[in-house]
Amino acid sequence: MAVSSNQKTGFHARSNSFPSRPNPIITQLDEHLCRSRTSEGASTSSSLGGKLSSLQDLHDCVNKLLLLPLTQQAIAQENNGKWVDELLDGSLQVLDLCNTAKDALLQTKECVYELQSILRRKGCREVGLTSEVKKYLTWRKIVNKAIHKALKGMQNKDNFSTSNGDHETTTIFNMIKEVEVVSLKELHSLLSFISGPKAKTTGWSLVSKLVHHKKVAYADEETDINEFSKVDAALLALVDQNTSRSDKIKGVQSHLESLELCIQDLESGLECLFRNLIKNRVSLLNILNHY
């Protein structure tokens, strides 16, 4: 969910052109937004954790901004207007995407726990292990389908109306809008990370391809793939009946442990962010209902 250079420049110019001594909360929010514009780069579990923390800071500033009388008056004056509709729509989109990410992590975590339990019980001796691996990969396919549906629904959602309001009102609304755009972009990156580069073929189709590809193992292990993709690749190697399983069992268990830790970190960040998002939406609705 990229933000165009015109949008970035426009938001930055307006926020910097605020009165010479703006409220400290507005200054703090602008500083967080400036940092978010420079936080590009490859997505890793650690970088995504940092981005989730940054989003929490952004939305914490937004909540403080919504408590300012100036902000409340500006929103109340625009009540029933296109700007307010866009803010409400944008906050709901961010909440929906955050909830999709939470659900995806929860479902994957449950599958990981079940697979870990089965591996401990069955080891590499029982044929039934293959069906359990297929079950995990099928669940991954279901999760990825939900992710792709959510991401598709976010396309072309970063265009906003222009304003005829006064300078202060324009600045406040545009800063909140940019926070929503940044949030959608970062959550988009997180969901793409969860689905992994193999999302389009994960599931039964990948399992069936194993019959024709004996060398699916750890060739990608040293490359820049994430914890979700490493588990997928290791499981595909595990169900290759033509090679020994004992070493692969250890490798799968190691990857599952890494994925479990990754999910725990991301879940913690998402839960804090989700609470902030709920708080901000409630504050926004309270302003509209009481002014």
Side-chain angles (χ1 to χ4, degrees):
M1 194 76 170
V3 184
S4 68
S5 58
N6 289 336
Q7 284 177 301
K8 295 177 183 178
T9 303
F11 283 123
H12 192 52
R14 280 189 287 270
S15 59
N16 279 349
S17 61
F18 215 76
S20 57
R21 303 187 71 174
N23 187 289
I25 295 173
I26 294 173
T27 301
Q28 184 182 18
L29 178 56
D30 189 49
E31 290 173 352
H32 283 303
L33 285 171
C34 287
R35 284 195 288 271
S36 72
R37 298 182 192 113
T38 60
S39 62
E40 302 294 335
S43 293
T44 63
S45 55
S46 58
S47 70
L48 286 170
K51 289 178 181 180
L52 286 175
S53 179
S54 296
L55 285 183
Q56 292 170 38
D57 292 337
L58 272 176
H59 286 278
D60 185 56
C61 284
V62 169
N63 188 257
K64 294 176 182 176
L65 182 64
L66 291 174
L67 297 178
L68 295 177
L70 175 64
T71 304
Q72 295 181 355
Q73 292 170 11
I75 293 175
Q77 289 171 1
E78 295 288 335
N79 200 355
N80 299 318
K82 186 175 291 186
W83 270 23
V84 170
D85 288 342
E86 288 176 350
L87 288 187
L88 289 171
D89 183 57
S91 70
L92 188 59
Q93 290 171 23
V94 176
L95 265 173
D96 286 345
L97 214 58
C98 185
N99 199 50
T100 298
K102 286 180 58 185
D103 287 345
L105 289 176
L106 177 61
Q107 292 180 48
T108 304
K109 180 177 69 175
E110 291 175 349
C111 290
V112 166
Y113 287 164
E114 182 176 353
L115 195 52
Q116 286 175 320
S117 176
I118 290 168
L119 285 172
R120 285 192 292 267
R121 292 200 318 267
K122 294 188 175 183
C124 57
R125 293 181 295 276
E126 296 188 24
V127 178
L129 180 60
T130 299
S131 64
E132 299 297 341
V133 171
K134 289 180 179 180
K135 180 180 177 181
Y136 171 87
L137 293 172
T138 300
W139 269 109
R140 282 279 285 153
K141 185 176 182 180
I142 294 171
V143 169
N144 290 339
K145 185 176 180 180
I147 288 175
H148 294 158
K149 181 179 180 180
L151 294 181
K152 186 177 180 180
M154 292 298 108
Q155 292 177 359
N156 301 319
K157 296 295 186 180
D158 57 350
N159 295 319
F160 295 100
S161 303
T162 56
S163 167
N164 296 319
D166 59 39
H167 175 74
E168 288 78 9
T169 300
T170 301
T171 300
I172 289 170
F173 273 77
N174 282 332
M175 292 184 80
I176 297 175
K177 287 174 182 177
E178 187 179 5
V179 171
E180 291 178 352
V181 171
V182 169
S183 300
L184 289 173
K185 182 189 71 173
E186 300 299 0
L187 288 170
H188 186 292
S189 296
L190 173 59
L191 286 168
S192 298
F193 179 87
I194 294 171
S195 65
K198 296 180 180 179
K200 292 183 179 180
T201 52
T202 296
W204 288 106
S205 58
L206 258 181
V207 175
S208 64
K209 287 182 180 180
L210 183 63
V211 177
H212 305 290
H213 298 276
K214 298 180 181 180
K215 295 184 179 181
V216 179
Y218 302 103
D220 292 332
E221 190 169 340
E222 300 302 323
T223 63
D224 187 23
I225 60 175
N226 66 49
E227 289 86 347
F228 293 87
S229 299
K230 287 181 178 179
V231 167
D232 291 346
L235 288 175
L236 289 172
L238 180 61
V239 294
D240 183 354
Q241 302 289 347
N242 297 316
T243 56
S244 173
R245 288 187 175 187
S246 57
D247 291 336
K248 291 180 181 180
I249 286 285
K250 295 179 181 178
V252 168
Q253 289 172 330
S254 176
H255 286 311
L256 286 171
E257 289 172 2
S258 297
L259 178 57
E260 181 184 355
L261 293 174
C262 171
I263 290 174
Q264 288 174 355
D265 289 341
L266 293 177
E267 273 191 320
S268 176
L270 274 174
E271 187 58 40
C272 292
L273 175 61
F274 190 77
R275 288 197 295 267
N276 279 344
L277 294 175
I278 292 292
K279 184 190 300 184
N280 289 350
R281 184 165 176 83
V282 169
S283 295
L284 182 58
L285 291 173
N286 283 340
I287 293 170
L288 296 174
N289 290 331
H290 292 93
Y291 268 79

